[in-house]
Amino acid sequence: MLTEAPPAAADLIAPLDSNALPLPQGRPLPGRDWGSRFSRQAHSATETSLKIPTRRRHSVTTSLGASLDELFDTVQRQTLRYFWEFGHPTSGLARERSNATPNIVTTGGSGFGIMAILAGVERGWVGRQAALDRLITMVCFLGQAERHHGAFPHWMDGESGRTIPFSQCDDGADIVETAYLIVGLLSARQYFRGSEAKAYLLRSLIDALWQDIEWDWFTRGSDSLYWHWSPVHEWAMDHTIHGWNECLIAFVLAASAPRHPIEPSVYHRGWAAGQAFANGRSFDGIPLPLGPDHGGPLFFAHYSFLGLDPRRLRDCYADYWRQNVASTLINQAHCIRNPQKFDGYGADCWGLTASDSIDGYVAHAPDRDLGVITPAAALGSFPYAPAECHRAFRHFASRSERLWGVYGFVDAFSPAMDWYADSYLAIDQGPIVIMIENYRSGLLWRLFMSCPEIRLGLAKLGFSRGPTADIAL
């Protein structure tokens, strides 16, 4: 645990209000009693009310003259509120977004939220016992939620645990969203290593969920991993996962699985055989090892690497630190060059990734630039380009009158069109907290990489930890 003094910026952040959640009642789906069985254990193990004493919030503008660490404290702590205060009142899972049907919870975003809570515990913003109670509530709910061959859907009802369709045929298992959830759960398992009953219970519940996922079933006996399966439409989505994109972590987990692992050929002949996998060209003078031209949206460098540590990580295809640094710098260079001449773009106002946009939700990228900047793009890239991200951070803070709110920076804004989102999304707020923490302390990287199964899975796929990469691009 960190032993630093209370943060100087504590008085800049709104209180994380008391929000004790009801422990899950036994509401098993037909034919499943896993959740109700462990819920009864949880009722006897959890007693702590989830109360977090903090001070009143002020605008982040007040701290513009503060040190970078004080700014980090302000933004991480305020953004954590999305997962702690705004978590679903029954399940504790992360709601999909702040401006949607309140019972929609997101599987991947909940994994991000778990990791953000761990950062909050480590920084002293969330009590350890309160976090254990919250996580036990979440995991017991997951145990009785609808699953298919162990995998969760993209969206669930936070009250009942039943699937909420993401699209017409996407009404069943989503192996990528499941992977993001499992990264958070395994990180929590590694964090709560104590001998107390609650910690032991949490680890046992997490292991049960982890071991139940039939990763190999999602290959259909082939050398490909399939993203979706529906109990109604079966394999109608027919979406095999090929790189390069945000899905690397699904293959790492699938190879690491204790009971239903994939063969290495699924990684090498499936993931690495994608038409947009290898690149090798340079953009704005920066060589890009993998992925689409100009790097794609920056969540490619975030989602798989919230727990998977890219430092010195390499295989026969790439050095993953170089890959993520390159995509970050190319993204900023595009905004500086600003080929479409959007007002406001520059070295201190940049960052293209998936977020809300002026007309719906868009995966913004250099080759799909609509003039919309997403704060999570730069703030989630701090480990890769700290100086460039620091400039953006200060600029976002200077716009806080409209860009800053109850859960940190709003999802996106357009300087050119004077537009600011009125929303927060779990999958954007999470990487802000997590990747800033990885930059500051390496906490989430250290936790996830300490899993013995992950080390074995990486070795099985041919990954190694080489010497420190030269990132002067």
Side-chain angles (χ1 to χ4, degrees):
M1 298 290 290
L2 296 180
T3 57
E4 62 182 355
D11 60 341
L12 304 178
I13 305 160
L16 300 178
D17 298 332
S18 168
N19 58 115
L21 300 181
L23 287 168
Q25 305 298 319
R27 296 188 309 275
L29 295 167
R32 302 192 71 90
D33 64 355
W34 189 99
S36 60
R37 175 162 51 92
F38 284 110
S39 293
R40 290 192 292 272
Q41 294 183 37
H43 273 290
S44 63
T46 53
E47 301 172 352
T48 305
S49 178
L50 306 184
K51 297 180 179 178
I52 309 170
T54 58
R55 301 184 181 91
R56 297 300 306 172
R57 173 177 62 91
H58 300 286
S59 170
V60 72
T61 307
T62 349
S63 62
L64 278 175
S67 69
L68 183 56
D69 274 343
E70 289 172 329
L71 275 175
F72 280 150
D73 285 338
T74 300
V75 172
Q76 282 184 283
R77 194 172 177 185
Q78 186 77 356
T79 307
L80 175 59
R81 290 169 54 123
Y82 183 90
F83 301 100
W84 191 261
E85 284 187 13
F86 192 59
H88 190 277
T90 299
S91 65
L93 299 175
R95 287 166 161 144
E96 167 72 8
R97 53 170 56 241
S98 63
N99 59 346
T101 305
N103 273 346
I104 297 178
V105 297
T106 168
T107 295
S110 293
F112 297 176
I114 290 167
M115 300 174 86
I117 289 170
L118 299 180
V121 175
E122 188 75 0
R123 292 277 162 192
W125 305 325
V126 175
R128 181 182 175 87
Q129 293 305 311
L132 267 171
D133 285 355
R134 170 66 68 89
L135 292 173
I136 290 171
T137 295
M138 295 167 73
V139 174
C140 285
F141 183 89
L142 290 167
Q144 60 188 330
E146 188 173 347
R147 289 180 286 160
H148 306 281
H149 294 269
F152 292 91
H154 191 133
W155 286 343
M156 288 180 281
D157 185 308
E159 192 69 36
S160 69
R162 296 189 180 277
T163 298
I164 295 176
F166 187 73
S167 64
Q168 182 178 354
C169 294
D170 188 359
D171 58 356
D174 184 316
I175 202 68
V176 175
E177 290 287 313
T178 297
Y180 299 151
L181 173 65
I182 293 298
V183 173
L185 290 173
L186 291 179
S187 298
R189 185 194 72 181
Q190 298 303 103
Y191 190 79
F192 290 101
R193 299 299 299 168
S195 59
E196 69 268 37
K198 289 182 185 179
Y200 178 80
L201 173 63
L202 178 66
R203 295 195 301 270
S204 298
L205 298 174
I206 289 171
D207 278 336
L209 291 174
W210 167 223
Q211 292 172 16
D212 272 356
I213 303 168
E214 299 174 30
W215 303 90
D216 55 347
W217 188 82
F218 286 86
T219 67
R220 303 177 67 184
S222 72
D223 284 331
S224 294
L225 191 63
Y226 284 76
W227 197 315
H228 313 92
W229 182 82
S230 162
V232 177
H233 308 285
E234 297 188 333
W235 302 103
M237 296 284 287
D238 197 30
H239 190 164
T240 54
I241 309 173
H242 302 294
W244 175 255
N245 51 42
E246 72 273 29
C247 301
L248 172 64
I249 191 62
F251 290 84
V252 171
L253 287 166
S256 305
R259 288 182 56 197
H260 301 284
I262 61 168
E263 293 297 323
S265 61
V266 178
Y267 175 73
H268 295 290
R269 297 176 189 168
W271 167 253
Q275 291 184 352
F277 184 73
N279 194 297
R281 294 177 288 279
S282 292
F283 303 91
D284 292 296
I286 302 165
L288 181 67
L290 303 176
D293 287 354
H294 306 283
L298 272 178
F299 68 79
F300 287 5
H302 299 165
Y303 293 175
S304 279
F305 299 97
L306 300 177
L308 183 65
D309 186 352
R311 295 174 296 182
R312 301 183 294 112
L313 183 68
R314 58 183 62 179
D315 64 4
C316 60
Y317 306 111
D319 177 311
Y320 292 91
W321 182 258
R322 286 180 177 270
Q323 169 66 25
N324 292 343
V325 171
S327 61
T328 302
L329 295 181
I330 290 169
N331 198 287
Q332 190 215 27
H334 167 86
C335 292
I336 294 172
R337 184 164 46 84
N338 192 12
Q340 298 186 60
K341 308 302 179 188
F342 290 118
D343 288 343
Y345 274 32
D348 59 352
C349 187
W350 62 276
L352 307 177
T353 194
S355 69
D356 280 351
S357 196
I358 295 170
D359 185 18
Y361 181 84
V362 175
H364 305 105
D367 59 356
R368 197 179 184 187
D369 186 359
L370 304 180
V372 173
I373 299 296
T374 306
L379 299 184
S381 300
F382 248 101
Y384 309 132
E388 293 80 0
C389 295
H390 187 188
R391 290 189 65 172
F393 195 179
R394 295 278 180 181
H395 179 78
F396 299 155
S398 74
R399 290 179 173 267
S400 66
E401 184 175 348
R402 297 179 65 186
L403 193 57
W404 178 258
V406 65
Y407 302 126
F409 291 113
V410 299
D411 197 49
F413 69 104
S414 173
M417 286 158 272
D418 193 33
W419 171 84
Y420 290 77
D422 61 0
S423 56
Y424 304 88
L425 275 64
I427 57 173
D428 288 335
Q429 301 309 97
I432 292 174
V433 180
I434 297 163
M435 292 302 268
I436 287 177
E437 190 57 46
N438 279 333
Y439 172 68
R440 300 180 80 182
S441 71
L443 173 68
L444 287 316
W445 284 341
R446 189 167 64 250
L447 289 171
F448 182 70
M449 298 298 283
S450 72
C451 297
E453 310 98 309
I454 301 304
R455 294 197 295 269
L456 289 173
L458 287 169
K460 176 180 175 181
L461 296 182
F463 284 86
S464 65
R465 305 287 286 180
T468 302
D470 176 7
I471 62 172
L473 299 174

